[in-house]
Amino acid sequence: MNTTPSPPDVLQTAGNMLECHDFRDRHKPELLELTGVSQHGRATMSGLNDYDYQTLAQLTSGDSHNLQQLRTLTKSGIPNEILEHFKHIKCHCVMGLFPEIGRAWLTIDSDIYIWTYEQARDVAYYDGLSHLIVSVGLVKPRPGVLINDVKYLLLLTTPIEVIVLGVTFDDQNDPQAAVAEANGMHLMNKPLFVLATDNIAINVIQGSDDGRIFLGGRDGCLYEIDYHSESSWFGKRCKKINHSQGLVSYIVPSFLKVFSEVDPIEKIVIDNSRKLLYVLTEKSSIEAWHIGANFTNVRRLGRITQNDIASQAINLIKTVDPSIFKCVKAICPLSREDSNFLHLVAVTQCGVRLYFSTSRLNGQQQQFNYIPDNYNVGQPTNNSMPTMQTESETPKGLFLLHVRLPPGYTPNATTNKPKQVHAAHHSEGTMLMITTQQQEQDLLWSVSSAPFSNFSYLVESTALEGLDGIVWSLAELKDSIVPSVTSMLHNYRTPRRVVLLTNQGTHIVELLKAAHLLQQLLLSCKGPHHESVKMFFQTQTEREACVTALLLATSNQLCGSDIALWATQAFMLYGGEPCFQHYMNASNRNMHNNTMGSTTIVPGRERMPPMYMSTPMPNTGNSGAMGTQYTQPISPISVAQPTQQQQQHQHSALPVADSSLIIYSAKHDGLYLFVSRMLRSVWKLHCVDENLSSRLTSNDCSILLIELRALRNFLEKHSVHDLSASRRMPYDTHLGRSSTVLMNNSQMPMNEHRNLTEQAQIEEKRSLSALNQFIKHACEVMSLWSILNDHQFQLLCQQLSPEHQKMLRCCTFRDLLITRSEVCAFLIIALINLYLKDKADVTEVSDNLRELCPNLYRHEDEVTYKATEILMSVKNCQSAQEKEQKLCTTLQMCLDAAPTLPLHSICQQFISVDFYEGVVELSATCASKMDPEEIGIHYYNNNEPAEDREGYTCFVTRMNYYKEVQLMLDCIYHSLASSRPDQDQSRTIMLNCDSTQDHHDIENRSKQTIKKITNQALRLKDPLMHVTIYEWLLSHDMNSELLELVQPSLGEFLRRSVSRNPENVKLIDLLWKYYEKNGHHSQAAQILDNLAMTRSENISLDVRIDYLVRAVMCMRNETVGSSITNGIFLKELEDKLEIARVQKSVLGAMHPLANSNPEARQAIKELNLALYDITQLYQNFADPFDLWECQLSILNCSNHNDPLLIESVWGNIINSAVDTPGSAHERSIQLFTKIELLVREFGESGPCFPFAFLIRELEIKACQLHLPEGTVPEKLFAMKLDVELLLEYYSRMISMNERIWANEGNEWHLIQSAIRVVTLLADNAQAIWYRSKRRILGKAQDIVAACLNICYQKPDTNRLQHSLKELQCRLQRLLG
């Protein structure tokens, strides 16, 4: 079996075509059109022309085949034990039939005998009455009134009472018990109800399908028995209601009623579908009643007397004896299948049929009820196009609309006229009439239109059969079990059976149909290769004949027989070929419509004459074939308004002009018509009712499946190519279509004609292929529905979600077969879940679904549910070895079924049993099977080029499969996170060592599990699986675990991630760490350098410095080569590091300004945003914000040698320190503290440390601040500056003898400082290096001498002179 699922558009194409054929089939001419009433808008007549009655020989243009439309099935006599009672008859005997239960009955005086008429056995009797039985009736009881054992009610009437008996059967549990002859019938001894007749004899009893009982009395009144299960306060349990007696009759005095005319009721018939009841009286009057839902709604519609009938008929036909219209002997209701608008047919004693309607003939009934074949469904309709009349109108009366004369009144009649008709029965276009030709022998007339059902006017054939006796009753046999959904194909295959009860016994006949006629013809011709078979196809129209042939070819009873083979051959031989019909202009279009059909005139198929003519009309000759007009097929794919997708497909498949239409072959149309009739009963039927109960029973599904599978087998034996292959050239006498096409294409070039023919064949092949897939799909859907019916369908539906339940309630079988495949899916899931919920073995139901629904329940579905079953059992396994074995078995099953499995569902089940390895392996296998050529991997390895759409698709497919691994890791990670206690819980847990230990164990196991899964996944060669793992670790901040991995693919992943997200510092940070860890120090240094230089708010200045430090360390690693390039790069890194540190000092100096200066706050952000060069730092930050120390650092870092600028900066530094508020002492401390710090930083820096300038500036500030003598020397000496330079610079200042000191208020300040310097030198002479000691002391003596020289020149310097001399002596001693 082909397990390729049917695409939705293919199913939709087949569905559209089916609906088109079904629409045309349901709207073909019905009885109202066939009789001409609809066309002429008035009552009509027929039966006077030769073509009104034809023989079956005219179907085959010959009499040699002796086709039969009537066949005797069985004959059986009256049981002998009943015949014995005839000897004791006293005054009255009546016979009749109970077709509902397959039995006949006979009353002899007050006793009744009932027996099965087919085998004349199982005799039941009732002798509990003491009065003569007048009439008998059998009625199905109203539901819920009586106990279930009572299947029927037997009503017996006597002159004084009506007795209602209960009927039971032996096997009450058998659903066929009420009708099967094998079950014995029993009459309850005690009557259920007894009613008085009020001295009015009841002539006839008739029951409706819903259990209502109607009685016809000799007084001409219609009665109804209303019965209930219990008596009520307001009435009895059973009562008789007179519907004919109105309120006026109570007012009229009783003595006046004696003078009124009494017309007893002879017959009652009921049309259950329309709730109509008809009454035939003894004087041939007919009454119509609308019985409604109960007795309160009963109303009489109208009454027509014998004289009125005759008068109206004579007005229609004035050339025949008026007496033939009198004396109506039988009335038969017409069902909706017979006609929507004609409701009753009455038969007179001479065989005239009178057709009545309960609706008045008006302008609306002039409209057509059918759509001719050349009417394109889906195209805009003309307002003048006739529309179909609905039956929503309320019945208004009883109106004669058509008179049909019996056979024998045509000019060339070969049969006698029927006489003495006393009984009749109508069934599916066949009228059976019983006539009395001889005194003791009746004759059966069969007048049937069934063989000529496709004519546009009423054509009938006649058959006669002699009977063995006088017919007392005739009725149609009912099927044993009536399915809730009727199959049209079953009706077409199965002949109607009618039982006739005579005084000799029962005679059962079959009313044969077109399929049986074709069967007889094939047997007579011994195959399809005969002119008669070809003529049968032409006469029946090729499409209908193809349907008839399919009925035989797909029949289970004929399977493998010659008949089935011959029917198939006939289907192929006479089914025609597709073609294109071109409409060149309007005249051609009219010509097409008028000539569509065979150009060969078949006898008996001439043009229909006016239906209202009252005189016989001679044969008009071969003037045309009206009957074939209906046979023209249309294409819903080409003509009906398609969807956009179908239009695109159509345009690509049919590159022809818009004015061309495809004419499908009769084979094609016959197949579609066959399927549309097969599914018509369920097509628009809702799947379930409001209570979620199935609308189809198991028996209904079985009937449909038999038909569907038979057609599927037929299509499998005969492929689409066989059905649509052109094996021969069409010829005129074969198919009427060919001549029309050749005529219209006479001016067309041969090549173009050949191309169009090929395109037509391609289109037909596509349509037949769609039908073939639809049939296979329908078989699976109906098989599934049958399985669901066997599994408590309602309970199963209750397990569905409310949304699915709502969808199911709204779904029709048409939706189920075409568009609602998801409904089948969730019903299957519900069925399997029902088994799993009950822990039952799903193997049997799974195998059943796989066998019957291989596309709805695929192999992967079977594997899924078997895997689910095994995994559920794994949870209860105690043995680790057994658990491991089951898991391996499940995994292998899934691997074999990959990749079409529901991966997510299975992976979740694997996770539930901790089978993590299975998730990784199954995901990888699905990915590799979906992309066996590794196109997705190639796409990734080639840096994912945008123009490679196929590669991108495969890449996405693989990554979607690998998401299951990520979901599994998420599950494990979340379980780990949930096991971690919060702070409050941790304090409690710390009190319990065992709990803490358990927590650590869980955490360790989870980490180990993640590590194990990661290692398993990375062992695979698929880099996309590696990417999946890396992405997951990265998204969960498991950076340390990520860096522990040594796969080369990690570096590629990090590089790509960084290139896609160049601002993602986290990724860049991971990349350099990966390089450093794997020994790629140079690459790590480059990344660190890039990181440090990246302009980002996420990287602070300290981090940037740290990156540069690490970069320098990486470049200084011994594994890095000593190339010139590396050396240059290392020098650049060191320079950047030095400048970065300067920037850090600038940043530190900016912070105190941030509180008061908004610009400083912005500058702080800028300094953290990126690294700047030395010029930018000076110009943008140090200089604008007067950051003197920073300026000094920048000048030092840049080796800038500008003494004036440097001295200016130092002067600003000193001034800023002195200018701060506070006492002189405090400011001095602040000044010297800052100087000490700067000396430590710049004391060895050369140009940036102007020593002489600093000494002079400090001495000036000390003089200004009136600091104690020698403060500056002491501070400078404490800073351990060079003593020799200190003496040198003091010596120079003394020699200059500036006036600045006097100006500052202490003329001797410098002399005092010099004395202090020399004193400090003398105090620490031992610390001076011995080689330079003499030189330094000598310079100190020079300073002392210079000071003395100055003092000698000034007055009041005795104290200074004394100090200098003492110091001079001390130095001398040190030198000595």
Side-chain angles (χ1 to χ4, degrees), residues 134 182 241 266 300 326 365 491 508 627 661 706 748 931 937 959 968 1080 1106 1184 1203 1233 1237 1276 1299 1320 1326 1332:
V134 178
I241 302 164
E266 276 197 348
R300 189 169 74 171
K326 295 185 177 181
Q365 284 175 306
N491 292 338
I508 300 178
L661 290 172
I706 290 173
M748 184 181 297
D931 184 21
I937 298 176
M959 296 305 290
M968 173 182 63
H1080 306 293
D1106 185 59
T1233 301
L1237 292 175
L1276 293 177
R1299 293 292 301 170
L1320 291 172
Q1326 67 276 7
S1332 57

Side-chain angles (χ1 to χ4, degrees), residues 497-509:
R497 295 185 302 163
V498 177
V499 57
L500 300 96
L501 180 63
T502 69
N503 54 359
Q504 301 299 319
T506 54
H507 186 165
I508 300 178
V509 296

Side-chain angles (χ1 to χ4, degrees), residues 261-289:
E261 184 179 3
V262 176
D263 191 5
I265 293 177
E266 276 197 348
K267 189 173 183 61
I268 298 175
V269 294
I270 297 178
D271 182 355
N272 289 284
S273 62
R274 298 185 178 96
K275 296 293 183 182
L276 295 176
L277 179 145
Y278 305 98
V279 169
L280 176 63
T281 68
E282 192 177 89
K283 296 181 180 179
S284 298
S285 296
I286 303 175
E287 292 182 4
W289 295 75

Side-chain angles (χ1 to χ4, degrees), residues 342-361:
L342 297 176
H343 304 152
L344 180 72
V345 58
V347 183
T348 68
Q349 189 172 6
C350 294
V352 178
R353 280 168 285 163
L354 308 168
Y355 290 87
F356 294 89
S357 175
T358 59
S359 299
R360 184 182 301 275
L361 187 63

Side-chain angles (χ1 to χ4, degrees), residues 113 199 508 1021 1076:
Y113 302 89
N199 295 322
I508 300 178
K1021 296 181 180 180
E1076 184 186 39

Side-chain angles (χ1 to χ4, degrees), residues 99-102 118 140 152 171-181 183 477-487 490-491 494 496-497 696-704:
E100 300 92 341
I101 59 175
E118 290 200 44
K140 197 171 183 67
Y152 288 91
D171 190 357
Q172 300 294 345
N173 296 322
D174 187 355
Q176 306 182 31
V179 291
E181 298 172 4
N183 292 301
L477 292 181
K478 307 295 182 181
D479 291 335
S480 299
I481 299 178
V482 180
S484 58
V485 176
T486 58
S487 170
H490 177 75
N491 292 338
T494 308
R496 293 283 181 170
R497 295 185 302 163
L696 291 184
T697 65
S698 297
N699 184 50
D700 298 332
C701 294
S702 299
I703 294 174
L704 278 175

Side-chain angles (χ1 to χ4, degrees), residues 1289-1352:
Y1289 294 146
Y1290 267 100
S1291 175
R1292 291 179 185 177
M1293 287 190 294
I1294 292 171
S1295 63
M1296 292 173 64
N1297 196 16
E1298 296 175 295
R1299 293 292 301 170
I1300 189 173
W1301 311 109
N1303 296 335
E1304 293 298 336
N1306 186 0
E1307 183 180 0
W1308 308 109
H1309 176 80
L1310 185 60
I1311 301 297
Q1312 294 171 352
S1313 295
I1315 293 172
R1316 185 59 183 162
V1317 169
V1318 176
T1319 302
L1320 291 172
L1321 175 64
D1323 292 341
N1324 295 280
Q1326 67 276 7
I1328 301 173
W1329 191 31
Y1330 71 96
R1331 290 186 179 182
S1332 57
K1333 184 176 181 180
R1334 182 171 293 277
R1335 185 178 68 251
I1336 294 172
L1337 291 177
K1339 190 167 288 190
Q1341 285 181 337
D1342 292 341
I1343 292 173
V1344 172
C1347 290
L1348 282 173
N1349 189 28
I1350 294 172
C1351 289
Y1352 291 154

Side-chain angles (χ1 to χ4, degrees), residues 153-184:
L153 300 178
L154 178 64
L155 284 85
L156 306 175
T157 67
T158 68
I160 62 172
E161 60 185 1
V162 179
I163 296 93
V164 183
L165 298 174
V167 179
T168 62
F169 294 86
D170 285 339
D171 190 357
Q172 300 294 345
N173 296 322
D174 187 355
Q176 306 182 31
V179 291
E181 298 172 4
N183 292 301

